[in-house]
Each structure stands twice: as C-alpha cells, then as structure tokens.
Amino acid sequence: EEPKILQWLSPLEPRLRHQDVRTRRLEGVGNGFLQIEEFFNWRDGKDGDDGVVLFCSGAPGAGKTYLSSLVIDMLYDQAVGNSFAAACLYCDFLTHNDLIPENMLSAVVKKTVRALGSIPGEIDDAFQKAKREVSGRGSMRPEILGFLKIALAPLERVYICTDAMDECLPKHLPELLRSLHALSQQFQGIRLFITSRLHVLSDIKR
C-alpha cells in the first residue's frame, strides 16, 4: 500500500522532472559551483544558522535549472550511506496550479519517507483515517508540517532544493517561505537551496 500512501501525500513527482533535466544537462556544466567555499560551508553546515539558505539568482535562460539538477545529484550521492536526505522541487509556470504550498511540502515528505525506506506509523495512520473519509481527502498544512517533523526526526541533515521559486504564484510564495522558515527553525539539520530571479530574495529575507 506504500505507493498509494505516497500518491496521497502529494500528486507532485519532482523526480520525473529531475530526470528529464539531468539527461539534457551538458557534462561539466556548473561543476565549478560545487567547488566554491560558500557551497561547501552551506552543504556542511559550517555557517550555522546564518548558512541555512543558499540563494542563486540569474536571468531567465541563464541555466539555473541545470545548476539545480547538478546540486541535487551531488546531494543525492552524498546522502547514500548517511543519515541525510535530499528533496527537490521544480517550479514551472506551466504547472503552477499544482504548486500550492501543501503539495510542495508534501512532496518533501514523500521524498524524505522514501529515503527512510518505510512509512512512519503516524503517516500510515493518517492515510487510513483519510481513506475512511469523503474522497480520501488530503492533508492541511499543519498536519503536513507534522508529517515533516516525524520524517525528519531520524535524519541528521535534510537538503530541500527549490528551482525557479519565482515561478510560484505570488499568492502562494509567502506561505511556502514561512513554512520552510518555520521548519528550519525547528530542525537544525535543514539546508535550503533556492534558485530564482533576484526579486524573490527580498521575500526570503523577510
């Protein structure tokens, strides 16, 4: 029943978008970025609370999405054999109706649960309860954040990489950022990698 629970958590499948992007990425593109000290410090948590977010900006077509895919691949590799997890979110104006905070946060739950290798009992119980209700309704944001806390608890570090955050609908972006900020305050192992056009930086700093 695990596939049904994962689908119930979120309809988004960022891994499919990631696979598409990485197959089109030219070899060597962005490798220099992975060697800069700022990236190392962010990845390894050396800057403490001041280094939770690594923000990369660029104009449309500058290659931010390919850079995101490279960072995600590197973090996936690092997570193997460690108590780490990496989740990716690809924002796309063509699918912005699905990019509501609930779906995006639940996609992080889905990826983290996959990294754990099993469905935590509390999430399974919530799914069984939802099945008995009308249309197997989805979860609201407070419950999703609760799922995230449960899924994150066994992990030392979790990377959440969000590409093209500026393509989220403006009405959804503040709530998504507030939720990610709240999560980073409650779980010290959170690291956020965000690519976007520059104007989103002011929202992130609020």
Side-chain angles (χ1 to χ4, degrees):
E1 200 167 35
E2 181 173 314
K4 292 182 180 179
I5 297 176
L6 294 176
Q7 179 60 30
W8 168 74
L9 280 170
S10 175
L12 301 181
E13 287 289 356
R15 61 196 177 98
L16 301 180
R17 169 70 168 150
H18 176 65
Q19 183 61 24
D20 175 62
V21 172
R22 71 192 298 266
T23 56
R24 292 185 285 110
R25 189 180 71 222
L26 296 177
E27 186 174 355
V29 169
N31 284 348
F33 178 80
L34 302 182
Q35 304 303 318
I36 64 174
E37 185 177 5
E38 185 178 3
F39 177 78
F40 285 137
N41 290 343
W42 169 81
R43 184 196 66 185
D44 299 335
K46 292 182 179 178
D47 291 333
D49 291 342
D50 293 331
V52 171
V53 179
L54 182 58
F55 179 81
C56 295
S57 66
K64 299 185 297 296
T65 296
Y66 292 114
L67 179 63
S68 291
S69 71
L70 181 69
V71 169
I72 291 162
D73 276 346
M74 186 268 221
L75 295 174
Y76 280 171
D77 291 341
Q78 180 174 299
V80 175
N82 291 302
S83 57
F84 300 164
C88 61
L89 296 168
Y90 286 91
C91 302
D92 187 337
F93 72 93
L94 295 175
T95 60
H96 62 238
N97 288 332
D98 291 328
L99 295 175
I100 61 175
E102 288 81 4
N103 284 350
M104 297 178 75
L105 293 169
S106 292
V108 176
V109 178
K110 181 190 291 190
K111 181 62 180 74
T112 307
V113 165
R114 282 186 171 130
L116 293 175
S118 62
I119 305 290
E122 295 91 335
I123 296 177
D124 184 36
D125 290 344
F127 171 70
Q128 301 303 331
K129 179 181 178 182
K131 279 203 309 183
R132 296 191 294 269
E133 297 176 349
V134 178
S135 301
R137 67 179 183 180
S139 302
M140 301 299 288
R141 197 172 306 127
E143 187 175 21
I144 294 167
L145 291 173
F147 292 162
L148 270 170
K149 293 174 188 175
I150 292 166
L152 296 178
L155 298 169
E156 178 183 343
R157 193 172 302 153
V158 175
Y159 303 97
I160 302 175
C161 304
T162 306
D163 177 63
M165 186 173 272
D166 53 292
E167 295 194 17
C168 285
L169 287 176
K171 65 181 180 180
H172 294 319
L173 183 57
E175 191 54 51
L176 175 63
L177 289 172
R178 279 194 293 270
S179 296
L180 291 174
H181 175 73
L183 199 62
S184 69
Q185 294 295 300
Q186 296 170 24
F187 182 73
Q188 292 186 344
I190 286 280
R191 289 290 177 270
L192 305 174
F193 178 77
I194 297 171
T195 69
S196 174
R197 280 177 275 188
L198 189 58
H199 69 268
V200 170
L201 185 58
S202 60
D203 294 310
I204 293 173
K205 289 182 175 180
R206 287 177 186 170

